[in-house]
Amino acid sequence: MPSLTKVQTGFLEAVNPFTLAPGTASAPIISFSNSAATGMFSPSAGALAFSTGSTQNALTILSGGDVGIGVESPGAKLETATYGAGAATVARFRRNNNSDQHVFDVSVNPDTDTVKLISTGSANGSIILGTLAVDAL
């Protein structure tokens, strides 16, 4: 009988493919004990998705490599979406994770059909596409 004080390490190698049922957004096939509606599932053949609290469009990866954040069927290598009225930031790029300096935001406003590109740091400024206005922060 093996000793209970030893830890065995190694790996598991499947002889045949390891297959799972596809699952759904509200019942992902791989989930967490503290949140059964959060996890990983396959919404269609060749697609992988992650749900958070039954929301499918948390993250979707299609077989062609298109990735969607907030989008169930992305049509580009990276597509993001946010829902609701008014302006919203859909992408943020930072130079330093612990600082608000050197941030580049991309915001959209469906109410005014504009896209705003905002830069912070040593060269603050913004450009609004869809209007003739260019403003400084």
Side-chain angles (χ1 to χ4, degrees):
M1 178 174 207
S3 170
L4 296 178
T5 59
K6 293 183 180 178
V7 176
Q8 184 170 345
T9 61
F11 62 93
L12 176 66
E13 183 177 353
V15 176
N16 294 313
F18 182 69
T19 58
L20 299 169
T24 64
S26 59
I29 195 62
I30 298 175
S31 63
F32 299 89
S33 61
N34 64 347
S35 178
T38 297
M40 185 173 67
F41 67 102
S42 179
S44 61
L48 179 64
F50 297 86
S51 62
T52 55
S54 299
T55 302
Q56 173 178 340
N57 50 0
L59 176 69
T60 303
I61 305 168
L62 299 182
S63 61
D66 292 351
V67 176
I69 301 171
V71 178
E72 291 181 19
S73 299
K77 289 300 174 194
L78 177 61
E79 183 174 344
T80 67
T82 185
Y83 301 94
T89 300
V90 295
R92 172 168 286 161
F93 304 92
R94 290 180 191 232
R95 180 168 181 247
N96 181 340
N97 190 36
N98 298 322
S99 171
D100 285 335
Q101 293 184 341
H102 308 293
V103 173
F104 179 76
D105 283 347
V106 179
S107 299
V108 295
N109 189 334
D111 299 337
T112 59
D113 291 328
T114 58
V115 175
K116 189 172 187 178
L117 308 174
I118 304 167
S119 173
T120 64
S122 59
N124 290 339
S126 64
I127 299 172
I128 301 174
L129 306 176
T131 70
L132 296 177
V134 176
D135 64 350
L137 294 176

